[in-house]
Amino acid sequence: FPLLVDRTADIVLNDSDVICEHLWAAYGDGVERPRLDEIINTRKYTKTVFVDFPLLAAPSALRPWPWSGVMLAPSKANEQPLVLYGCEADADSRLVREALCSLQLQ
């Protein structure tokens, strides 16, 4: 459901997994994405409702992992503001907001 408009890269993305991959690749500035974040937040290995629901539905305050927006990673500044369209309660939008916060992007 989330939709990201990145005018710096001239791209529009509409899937949380793809958006997070793009943010880390384009703005990570040489920072390697934490492996556990890739496993959990891209849901490559956790495609069951018993694992997805607790990980995605829990508020960010209950997800104290460093990659959940709590810890900051150095990033390359975006030339133009990123625009994120999403619902506050949507679990996939939460993943994108966490990546934006971790990378300190506007």
Side-chain angles (χ1 to χ4, degrees):
F1 171 56
L3 180 103
L4 180 81
V5 179
D6 184 352
R7 291 187 182 103
T8 303
D10 197 28
I11 192 168
V12 176
L13 304 166
N14 68 347
D15 180 54
S16 62
D17 295 342
V18 175
I19 293 171
C20 290
E21 289 293 327
H22 167 71
L23 292 174
W24 280 99
Y27 300 104
D29 198 27
V31 175
E32 185 175 334
R33 185 176 183 182
R35 178 77 174 133
L36 192 54
D37 174 57
E38 184 177 351
I39 291 170
I40 292 173
N41 288 340
T42 58
R43 298 189 304 269
K44 289 180 182 178
Y45 308 104
T46 60
K47 291 194 182 275
T48 66
V49 81
F50 297 112
V51 176
D52 271 353
F53 182 75
L55 290 175
L56 296 176
S60 293
L62 298 177
R63 297 177 68 192
W65 300 310
W67 51 86
S68 295
V70 177
M71 300 291 286
L72 302 178
S75 64
K76 181 172 66 172
N78 48 323
E79 296 170 11
Q80 297 182 15
L82 299 169
V83 180
L84 175 66
Y85 297 97
C87 177
E88 183 71 25
D90 181 49
D92 289 331
S93 294
R94 179 176 295 131
L95 296 176
V96 176
R97 288 192 313 271
E98 289 174 357
L100 289 168
C101 290
S102 292
L103 292 170
Q104 308 172 58
L105 295 171
Q106 300 179 11

